[in-house]
Amino acid sequence: MKIGYDAKRAFLNTSGLGNYSRNTLNALQKYFPDHHYALFSPEIKAAMLEQQDKFEMVAPENAHSGFKKAIWRSIQLSDEIKDHNLDLFHGLSNELPKGIHKTSIPTLVTIHDLIFIRYPEFYKTLDRAIYFRKTKYACNAATKILAISQQTKDDIIDFIDVDPEKIEILHQAISPLFFENANTGQIKEKYKLPNDFILAVGTVEERKNQLSIIKALVEKNIKLPLVLVGNPTSYCNDIHKYIAEKQLHNRVIFLKNIPETDLAGIYQLAQLSIYISVFEGFGLPVIESMACGCPVITSNASCLPETAGDAAVLCSPQNIDELGNNIEKILTDSNFRKELIMKGRVRANEFQPKKYVEKLISLYAELIG
């Protein structure tokens, strides 16, 4: 098969959709190297993929400005795709190029979430309008839609009015790095981490709800430091204000732009991982934590119970007292903690990259016919 991909996120996003794209492409090349993979991106950066030289790279010629790159990706890309005689085109991040429906090429689009519709207050008005237009077009134009969770499938049906038969659910994989033992001593020294700490991974934003973790630690008088790993947003202002009020400057550590090799080690060093988001399309840090042998507390909201299975402690994202009690239990009950770690490793094994791409290749073959 000759398969094309909208690979912009693989080269230009360091987390989230970028990780999904890279994990998918790396696993396809590793486990199914006999197929031909063409990556379409407005810009190609070196060393973003494990065997980058084995992919065909397609980018605009002499497009130095952001405007020219955007025009190429949104308007000219369908013509570019036709010239490459693809068997299938896969949009990895919620969109397909304009005009793709006029070609005869079968198309698949991965829809990660519709949070911008469900929680519009977290997004700028213009951004919401752009996201909605692109997502609706992709869902209507695609031969098949790949939803990363049941929650996302339900939202596509409810908000975009898509036939359920058109949507396939396929839980995404995590990087194989999270199944390997990291050099924790080196990583601890590199980031000046304390001996024991609680971890929360994810963009520091209101929807991720990190402030509730800090409040729970204060309410239960838990002295263990909290390490927040993620890019900052304006929500950090609220967190810093609370830290100042409670004089917690030495108990909350902020890290960002952490490579996955180091992140795996940070998970392995942590006493527990908390992902208490209000709403998610999937929640990768939950599975990453489990693969690293780190017990997890996560929300009982949106897709997170589906992601966690029976291998995490679930609680309401707004219930500070419940969250604090759960943190205390994991920290003080060693048998309970060991049980969570064991269940977590079993659960994480379901998200191995090889299992994911075996299902994906099968879906490709079905669409090509």
Side-chain angles (χ1 to χ4, degrees):
M1 293 185 285
K2 186 175 183 180
I3 308 150
Y5 297 87
D6 176 0
K8 174 188 173 184
R9 307 285 185 178
F11 294 106
L12 303 182
N13 283 54
T14 57
S15 61
L17 299 179
N19 287 337
Y20 168 79
S21 298
R22 286 185 292 275
N23 289 342
T24 299
L25 295 170
N26 285 335
L28 285 167
Q29 188 62 256
K30 179 177 181 178
Y31 296 109
F32 295 93
D34 293 338
H35 298 299
H36 183 96
Y37 305 111
L39 310 186
F40 295 80
S41 175
E43 183 179 343
I44 305 295
K45 290 187 176 181
M48 295 300 289
L49 297 166
E50 290 173 1
Q51 301 181 71
Q52 195 155 312
D53 61 322
K54 294 188 177 181
F55 294 92
E56 179 186 0
M57 304 291 179
V58 185
E61 294 182 6
N62 304 317
H64 300 297
S65 74
F67 178 74
K68 287 182 178 179
K69 292 174 183 177
I71 290 296
W72 179 84
R73 182 171 182 254
S74 61
I75 296 175
Q76 299 172 345
L77 187 51
S78 288
D79 290 335
E80 188 86 55
I81 289 168
K82 282 192 291 185
D83 292 341
H84 281 75
N85 299 314
L86 301 177
D87 294 310
L88 176 78
F89 185 82
H90 184 174
L92 293 168
S93 53
N94 286 34
E95 54 186 299
L96 290 171
K98 187 176 181 181
I100 194 77
H101 68 286
K102 296 178 182 178
T103 72
S104 58
I105 302 167
T107 52
L108 178 69
V109 64
T110 300
I111 302 295
H112 295 264
D113 62 66
L114 298 181
I115 298 172
F116 64 92
I117 300 177
R118 187 176 282 278
Y119 289 95
E121 64 270 23
F122 295 145
Y123 298 84
K124 296 177 182 177
T125 302
L126 180 59
D127 289 343
R128 292 201 314 268
I130 293 171
Y131 297 158
F132 182 79
R133 177 176 57 80
K134 287 184 174 182
T135 304
K136 185 172 183 179
Y137 173 76
C139 288
N140 289 332
T143 310
K144 196 83 171 179
I145 299 166
L146 196 160
I148 65 169
S149 66
Q150 182 65 51
Q151 178 68 63
T152 296
K153 178 175 180 177
D154 292 343
D155 283 352
I156 295 168
I157 295 166
D158 292 342
F159 295 130
I160 309 292
D161 194 26
V162 172
D163 182 354
E165 295 298 316
K166 189 177 182 178
I167 307 169
E168 186 88 12
I169 298 172
L170 184 53
H171 293 143
Q172 60 187 302
I174 61 171
S175 169
L177 290 170
F178 295 108
F179 295 96
E180 300 170 4
N181 291 324
N183 188 335
T184 52
Q186 186 180 76
I187 290 166
K188 182 175 182 290
E189 176 62 27
K190 179 178 179 179
Y191 296 102
K192 302 295 186 283
L193 294 169
N195 290 328
D196 298 306
F197 60 89
I198 295 166
L199 178 63
V201 174
T203 302
V204 186
E205 60 181 334
E206 186 176 359
R207 177 171 57 85
K208 302 288 189 185
N209 195 31
Q210 289 94 340
L211 185 53
S212 288
I213 304 172
I214 303 173
K215 289 180 176 178
L217 296 176
V218 170
E219 183 174 296
K220 297 298 178 182
N221 197 29
I222 298 170
K223 302 295 187 181
L224 223 56
L226 173 67
V227 176
L228 298 178
V229 176
N231 292 327
T233 68
S234 58
Y235 178 60
C236 286
N237 295 332
D238 296 335
I239 292 178
H240 285 299
K241 182 180 177 181
Y242 186 82
I243 288 171
E245 287 176 358
K246 301 296 183 180
Q247 299 183 336
L248 304 172
H249 299 92
N250 297 324
R251 286 168 52 190
V252 182
I253 300 165
F254 292 85
L255 300 175
K256 63 179 180 178
N257 299 325
I258 307 296
E260 284 188 330
T261 47
D262 291 355
L263 181 58
I266 295 173
Y267 279 124
Q268 290 168 27
L269 287 164
Q271 295 298 299
L272 71 146
S273 170
I274 304 176
Y275 196 72
I276 199 71
S277 180
V278 173
F279 194 92
E280 290 296 325
F282 182 74
L284 274 180
V286 171
I287 303 300
E288 292 170 353
S289 301
M290 293 175 177
C292 290
C294 183
V296 180
I297 297 173
T298 192
S299 300
N300 60 7
S302 67
C303 69
L304 291 165
E306 175 187 352
T307 302
D310 68 345
V313 176
L314 304 179
C315 64
S316 167
Q318 305 302 343
N319 192 327
I320 304 299
D321 187 60
E322 181 186 22
L323 176 57
N325 289 337
N326 285 325
I327 295 171
E328 280 189 327
K329 182 172 177 60
I330 292 175
L331 293 177
T332 59
D333 188 336
S334 60
N335 289 332
F336 181 61
R337 187 173 186 276
K338 289 176 183 176
E339 182 184 354
L340 282 176
I341 291 171
M342 181 186 67
K343 287 183 175 180
R345 290 193 186 279
V346 173
R347 178 65 175 165
N349 194 51
E350 295 301 311
F351 299 85
Q352 291 272 10
K354 184 179 181 182
K355 293 183 178 182
Y356 175 74
V357 292
E358 284 174 347
K359 295 174 183 175
L360 191 59
I361 286 288
S362 178
L363 181 58
Y364 287 169
E366 178 186 317
L367 289 174
I368 292 170

